[in-house]
Amino acid sequence: MRQKRMVEPQVVEHRRIDVVIGLVILGLSLMVIRAVDLQWLQADDLSVQADNQRIRQYDVDAPRGPILDRTGRVLSESVEMPSIAAIASDIKTEDLPALAKALDMPLHQLKQRIGKRKGFVWLSRRVAPQTAKAVQALDLAGVRIEKEWRRYHPFGPETGHLVGFVGTDNHGLEGLELAFNSKLSGKPGRVQLRRAANGYSLPGSTWLKKPVMGESLKLNLDVSVQSIAYSALANGIAKTGAKGGSVVIMNPHNGHVLAMTSWPGFNPNSFGKYRPKDWRNRVVTDVFEPGSVLKPFTVAAALSTGQYTMDSLIYCENGKFTVADKTIKDDHPEGWIDLRKLLVVSSNIGAAKLALDIGKEDLNRVLTDVGFHHKTGIGLGGESAGILPPVQKWGPVETANIAFGQGVAVTPIQLAAAFSVFANGGIYYPPQLVQEGQPVKGRQVVSERVARDVLSMLADVTKSGGTGTKAVPLGYTVAGKTGTAQKPNGKGGYSKDKFTAVFAGLVPAEAPELVIVVVLDEPESSIYGGSTAAPVFKQIAAAALPVLGIAPTMDSNPSDWKVMQASVQRPTVAEHMQSLYGLSLREVRRFALLNDIQLRVHGEGWVVKSEPVVLQGLEAGDALEVWLRE
């Protein structure tokens, strides 16, 4: 028994040693296995994790391409700006108050931006240089200065509606910046940075991919002309009390848009301070009923049928004309007038009668061919096609209304392109804002003769006795048309106190180099385009023509005393013409020509006196003396 008790402790001791040895062997085995796992099986993953702790990669925005005018002047460009970024997990809580102060940001706002993020976070983007210096002086772990691009527009409000702006993500949001975003946007780069274990950035960086600047966008626009248009429009708005307005200036021979501007303006460098509705480009987005500026196209439609010539007479019912249940009135009652005077005195009745006579199809064809009811394709977002009812829905009233510019709506850019037809021998060119590789081909929409005749008649609108005399700058001639249109009231009728005033014209009249359209929304000083929009046209033309190298024509003034011998036909004096009072010089000449009367003229303007006073009894070869006064 005693021997058995002596063996048991030895066995236990050996067993304990075996267990310890087993544990040691197991531990060593696990260590070997772990070493193998770390060194071979997880080597790649661990290497990546280590690199991630000491190496950071960032995407870097590329600068957008510049927007240039036709002479190469910069309208929009990217300027390098500092931005403050951080690795959120590396920022120490005790550093936040000092960082917030340097950023001029409330502490709670800074904490909110960081939140529970651990990776890259923007703290403040595109800050002032002094802010970046203040942050850099703190030398905080995890905080760094990044370089970003800010879009800068040197001409501010003058080009705001046209150029537009970009957002914080460097993408276009309005205007050309949005419409041509893919062209202007560059290709972002990627940079690799190293940092120490304490979170501080180590000097030096490596470009994995360098950013590539976006392409430039060159326009046909001339920023000098743009500035002239903007200034004149702003001045016109101030003088007339209008709530808004637009101006378009084009080269009629190729469709190049030299200027387009709207009011109210906005500064794209601080677009966030304005309402979204102030950002829109009214030249392409807003439609208006053109009123009398549509009458030249009605006359062109009549001439195109071959049924009418410039000298064709039309009876204007002495100021009142009823179509179905609608009475059409003229501000200046007329009897028999020719097509030239129809435009000069802007007769609604004359235009309505022309349209009703030639038929709605012929009028619709001309209006459609010159671009109404179609987008111009200028390339800007939000462009309107205008309003032109389907011809199948035109009754006599609709046909008459459309003939003098009611019941149809156009944009300023459409109207400018359409008026260009009269300067081009009847060829329509779509407006071209961006320079293209190949010149755009025009298309013939009315005959050369019709275009020439309408241009001649429009030139008389701006002469003494016409409605557009206030549009003529010193030393130049103008062919144009005034328009005054009641605004729709939203209830199927027209407002009695809200009007759109328009002047569309070509200058110089004898060989047009520019087409200018001025639209004023609800002017207060006067509702008439001849009194409000025409002076704006004059100011623009007077300044823009010399800038573009278009010399004055200095049309010679007629002498005070003229003798004109006429002998073509011997028709009798029209019975309806009792007197020449109130007629223009051109009408008096035509009367004398048709009746074989020897004419003597004093002055210019409208007839205020004649000898003999009564026309009845005059025979071929008799003398007629008239006095005219402006």
Short mmCIF file of all heavy atoms in Angstrom, two decimals, residues 1-33:
data_model
loop_
_atom_site.label_atom_id
_atom_site.label_comp_id
_atom_site.label_asym_id
_atom_site.label_seq_id
_atom_site.Cartn_x
_atom_site.Cartn_y
_atom_site.Cartn_z
N MET A 1 0.82 -1.20 0.00
CA MET A 1 0.00 0.00 0.00
C MET A 1 0.86 1.26 0.00
O MET A 1 0.57 2.23 -0.69
CB MET A 1 -0.91 0.01 1.23
CG MET A 1 -1.96 -1.08 1.21
SD MET A 1 -3.18 -0.83 -0.08
CE MET A 1 -3.94 0.63 0.53
N ARG A 2 1.89 1.24 0.80
CA ARG A 2 2.78 2.39 0.88
C ARG A 2 3.47 2.66 -0.45
O ARG A 2 3.64 3.79 -0.85
CB ARG A 2 3.83 2.13 1.98
CG ARG A 2 4.76 3.31 2.21
CD ARG A 2 5.68 3.01 3.34
NE ARG A 2 4.91 2.80 4.56
CZ ARG A 2 5.44 2.42 5.72
NH1 ARG A 2 6.73 2.16 5.82
NH2 ARG A 2 4.69 2.26 6.83
N GLN A 3 3.83 1.57 -1.18
CA GLN A 3 4.51 1.73 -2.48
C GLN A 3 3.59 2.35 -3.51
O GLN A 3 3.99 3.19 -4.32
CB GLN A 3 5.02 0.35 -2.96
CG GLN A 3 5.82 0.45 -4.27
CD GLN A 3 6.34 -0.90 -4.69
OE1 GLN A 3 6.07 -1.94 -4.03
NE2 GLN A 3 7.13 -0.92 -5.74
N LYS A 4 2.35 1.95 -3.50
CA LYS A 4 1.38 2.49 -4.43
C LYS A 4 1.20 3.97 -4.21
O LYS A 4 1.11 4.76 -5.16
CB LYS A 4 0.08 1.74 -4.26
CG LYS A 4 -0.98 2.16 -5.27
CD LYS A 4 -2.23 1.33 -5.09
CE LYS A 4 -3.29 1.76 -6.08
NZ LYS A 4 -4.52 0.97 -5.92
N ARG A 5 1.17 4.42 -2.96
CA ARG A 5 0.97 5.84 -2.66
C ARG A 5 2.17 6.67 -3.10
O ARG A 5 2.03 7.81 -3.48
CB ARG A 5 0.77 6.03 -1.17
CG ARG A 5 -0.57 5.50 -0.69
CD ARG A 5 -0.70 5.62 0.81
NE ARG A 5 -1.95 5.08 1.28
CZ ARG A 5 -2.27 4.93 2.56
NH1 ARG A 5 -1.39 5.29 3.51
NH2 ARG A 5 -3.44 4.43 2.91
N MET A 6 3.37 6.08 -3.13
CA MET A 6 4.58 6.82 -3.52
C MET A 6 4.66 7.00 -5.02
O MET A 6 5.24 7.95 -5.51
CB MET A 6 5.84 6.08 -3.02
CG MET A 6 5.96 6.06 -1.48
SD MET A 6 7.40 5.17 -0.92
CE MET A 6 8.70 6.10 -1.67
N VAL A 7 4.03 6.16 -5.84
CA VAL A 7 4.09 6.25 -7.31
C VAL A 7 3.14 7.32 -7.84
O VAL A 7 3.43 8.02 -8.80
CB VAL A 7 3.77 4.87 -7.94
CG1 VAL A 7 3.63 4.99 -9.44
CG2 VAL A 7 4.84 3.88 -7.57
N GLU A 8 2.06 7.50 -7.23
CA GLU A 8 1.02 8.41 -7.77
C GLU A 8 1.51 9.86 -7.95
O GLU A 8 1.27 10.47 -8.99
CB GLU A 8 -0.19 8.36 -6.86
CG GLU A 8 -0.98 7.07 -7.00
CD GLU A 8 -2.18 7.03 -6.08
OE1 GLU A 8 -2.30 7.98 -5.25
OE2 GLU A 8 -2.99 6.11 -6.22
N PRO A 9 2.23 10.45 -7.02
CA PRO A 9 2.72 11.82 -7.24
C PRO A 9 3.64 11.93 -8.45
O PRO A 9 3.62 12.93 -9.17
CB PRO A 9 3.45 12.16 -5.95
CG PRO A 9 2.82 11.27 -4.93
CD PRO A 9 2.50 10.01 -5.64
N GLN A 10 4.43 10.96 -8.68
CA GLN A 10 5.34 11.00 -9.83
C GLN A 10 4.56 10.98 -11.15
O GLN A 10 4.90 11.68 -12.11
CB GLN A 10 6.30 9.80 -9.76
CG GLN A 10 7.25 9.85 -8.57
CD GLN A 10 8.12 8.63 -8.47
OE1 GLN A 10 8.00 7.70 -9.28
NE2 GLN A 10 9.04 8.61 -7.49
N VAL A 11 3.52 10.20 -11.16
CA VAL A 11 2.71 10.11 -12.39
C VAL A 11 2.03 11.45 -12.67
O VAL A 11 1.99 11.95 -13.81
CB VAL A 11 1.66 8.99 -12.25
CG1 VAL A 11 0.69 9.01 -13.41
CG2 VAL A 11 2.32 7.65 -12.13
N VAL A 12 1.51 11.99 -11.63
CA VAL A 12 0.83 13.31 -11.80
C VAL A 12 1.80 14.36 -12.33
O VAL A 12 1.49 15.16 -13.20
CB VAL A 12 0.22 13.75 -10.46
CG1 VAL A 12 -0.28 15.20 -10.55
CG2 VAL A 12 -0.88 12.81 -10.03
N GLU A 13 3.01 14.35 -11.72
CA GLU A 13 4.02 15.34 -12.15
C GLU A 13 4.37 15.17 -13.61
O GLU A 13 4.48 16.15 -14.36
CB GLU A 13 5.25 15.19 -11.27
CG GLU A 13 6.31 16.25 -11.56
CD GLU A 13 7.48 16.13 -10.62
OE1 GLU A 13 7.42 15.32 -9.68
OE2 GLU A 13 8.44 16.88 -10.84
N HIS A 14 4.56 13.95 -14.05
CA HIS A 14 4.86 13.69 -15.47
C HIS A 14 3.72 14.13 -16.39
O HIS A 14 3.95 14.67 -17.46
CB HIS A 14 5.17 12.19 -15.67
CG HIS A 14 6.53 11.80 -15.19
ND1 HIS A 14 7.70 12.27 -15.71
CD2 HIS A 14 6.92 10.94 -14.17
CE1 HIS A 14 8.74 11.74 -15.09
NE2 HIS A 14 8.29 10.92 -14.14
N ARG A 15 2.55 13.86 -15.87
CA ARG A 15 1.40 14.26 -16.70
C ARG A 15 1.33 15.79 -16.85
O ARG A 15 1.00 16.31 -17.91
CB ARG A 15 0.13 13.73 -16.08
CG ARG A 15 -0.03 12.22 -16.24
CD ARG A 15 -1.29 11.73 -15.56
NE ARG A 15 -1.44 10.29 -15.74
CZ ARG A 15 -2.41 9.57 -15.20
NH1 ARG A 15 -3.31 10.19 -14.41
NH2 ARG A 15 -2.48 8.25 -15.41
N ARG A 16 1.65 16.47 -15.78
CA ARG A 16 1.64 17.93 -15.86
C ARG A 16 2.69 18.44 -16.84
O ARG A 16 2.45 19.39 -17.60
CB ARG A 16 1.91 18.53 -14.48
CG ARG A 16 0.75 18.37 -13.52
CD ARG A 16 1.11 18.90 -12.16
NE ARG A 16 -0.01 18.77 -11.24
CZ ARG A 16 0.06 19.04 -9.93
NH1 ARG A 16 1.23 19.45 -9.42
NH2 ARG A 16 -1.01 18.90 -9.15
N ILE A 17 3.83 17.79 -16.77
CA ILE A 17 4.89 18.21 -17.71
C ILE A 17 4.44 17.95 -19.14
O ILE A 17 4.67 18.77 -20.05
CB ILE A 17 6.19 17.45 -17.40
CG1 ILE A 17 6.74 17.89 -16.04
CG2 ILE A 17 7.22 17.66 -18.49
CD1 ILE A 17 7.93 17.09 -15.55
N ASP A 18 3.78 16.82 -19.36
CA ASP A 18 3.30 16.51 -20.72
C ASP A 18 2.29 17.56 -21.21
O ASP A 18 2.29 17.95 -22.38
CB ASP A 18 2.66 15.12 -20.73
CG ASP A 18 3.70 14.00 -20.54
OD1 ASP A 18 4.90 14.28 -20.76
OD2 ASP A 18 3.29 12.88 -20.17
N VAL A 19 1.44 17.96 -20.28
CA VAL A 19 0.43 18.98 -20.67
C VAL A 19 1.10 20.29 -21.04
O VAL A 19 0.76 20.94 -22.04
CB VAL A 19 -0.57 19.19 -19.51
CG1 VAL A 19 -1.45 20.41 -19.79
CG2 VAL A 19 -1.41 17.95 -19.28
N VAL A 20 2.08 20.69 -20.22
CA VAL A 20 2.79 21.95 -20.51
C VAL A 20 3.49 21.87 -21.85
O VAL A 20 3.43 22.80 -22.67
CB VAL A 20 3.79 22.26 -19.39
CG1 VAL A 20 4.68 23.45 -19.78
CG2 VAL A 20 3.06 22.55 -18.08
N ILE A 21 4.18 20.72 -22.05
CA ILE A 21 4.88 20.55 -23.33
C ILE A 21 3.88 20.59 -24.49
O ILE A 21 4.12 21.19 -25.53
CB ILE A 21 5.67 19.23 -23.32
CG1 ILE A 21 6.83 19.31 -22.30
CG2 ILE A 21 6.21 18.92 -24.71
CD1 ILE A 21 7.56 18.00 -22.09
N GLY A 22 2.72 19.95 -24.26
CA GLY A 22 1.69 19.95 -25.31
C GLY A 22 1.19 21.34 -25.62
O GLY A 22 1.00 21.72 -26.78
N LEU A 23 1.00 22.10 -24.53
CA LEU A 23 0.53 23.48 -24.73
C LEU A 23 1.58 24.32 -25.47
O LEU A 23 1.25 25.15 -26.31
CB LEU A 23 0.20 24.11 -23.38
CG LEU A 23 -1.05 23.55 -22.67
CD1 LEU A 23 -1.19 24.16 -21.27
CD2 LEU A 23 -2.31 23.81 -23.50
N VAL A 24 2.85 24.12 -25.07
CA VAL A 24 3.91 24.87 -25.75
C VAL A 24 3.96 24.52 -27.23
O VAL A 24 4.08 25.38 -28.10
CB VAL A 24 5.26 24.60 -25.07
CG1 VAL A 24 6.40 25.18 -25.90
CG2 VAL A 24 5.27 25.16 -23.65
N ILE A 25 3.87 23.23 -27.48
CA ILE A 25 3.90 22.80 -28.89
C ILE A 25 2.70 23.36 -29.65
O ILE A 25 2.82 23.82 -30.78
CB ILE A 25 3.92 21.26 -28.96
CG1 ILE A 25 5.26 20.72 -28.39
CG2 ILE A 25 3.72 20.78 -30.38
CD1 ILE A 25 5.29 19.21 -28.26
N LEU A 26 1.51 23.32 -28.98
CA LEU A 26 0.32 23.87 -29.63
C LEU A 26 0.47 25.36 -29.89
O LEU A 26 0.12 25.85 -30.97
CB LEU A 26 -0.89 23.62 -28.73
CG LEU A 26 -2.23 24.19 -29.24
CD1 LEU A 26 -2.59 23.54 -30.59
CD2 LEU A 26 -3.34 23.95 -28.22
N GLY A 27 1.03 26.07 -28.87
CA GLY A 27 1.23 27.52 -29.07
C GLY A 27 2.17 27.81 -30.21
O GLY A 27 1.95 28.71 -31.03
N LEU A 28 3.30 27.02 -30.21
CA LEU A 28 4.25 27.23 -31.30
C LEU A 28 3.63 26.91 -32.65
O LEU A 28 3.86 27.59 -33.66
CB LEU A 28 5.48 26.37 -31.07
CG LEU A 28 6.37 26.79 -29.88
CD1 LEU A 28 7.47 25.75 -29.65
CD2 LEU A 28 6.98 28.16 -30.13
N SER A 29 2.80 25.87 -32.65
CA SER A 29 2.13 25.49 -33.91
C SER A 29 1.20 26.60 -34.38
O SER A 29 1.15 26.94 -35.57
CB SER A 29 1.36 24.18 -33.72
OG SER A 29 2.22 23.12 -33.36
N LEU A 30 0.44 27.16 -33.41
CA LEU A 30 -0.47 28.24 -33.77
C LEU A 30 0.30 29.46 -34.28
O LEU A 30 -0.13 30.15 -35.21
CB LEU A 30 -1.33 28.63 -32.56
CG LEU A 30 -2.38 27.59 -32.13
CD1 LEU A 30 -3.07 28.02 -30.84
CD2 LEU A 30 -3.40 27.36 -33.24
N MET A 31 1.41 29.74 -33.62
CA MET A 31 2.22 30.87 -34.06
C MET A 31 2.75 30.64 -35.47
O MET A 31 2.78 31.55 -36.31
CB MET A 31 3.39 31.08 -33.09
CG MET A 31 2.95 31.59 -31.72
SD MET A 31 4.34 31.77 -30.55
CE MET A 31 5.32 32.97 -31.39
N VAL A 32 3.18 29.39 -35.74
CA VAL A 32 3.66 29.08 -37.09
C VAL A 32 2.53 29.23 -38.11
O VAL A 32 2.70 29.79 -39.20
CB VAL A 32 4.26 27.65 -37.13
CG1 VAL A 32 4.55 27.23 -38.56
CG2 VAL A 32 5.52 27.58 -36.28
N ILE A 33 1.36 28.68 -37.70
CA ILE A 33 0.20 28.78 -38.62
C ILE A 33 -0.15 30.25 -38.87
O ILE A 33 -0.41 30.66 -40.00
CB ILE A 33 -1.00 28.02 -38.04
CG1 ILE A 33 -0.71 26.51 -38.02
CG2 ILE A 33 -2.27 28.32 -38.84
CD1 ILE A 33 -1.75 25.70 -37.27
#
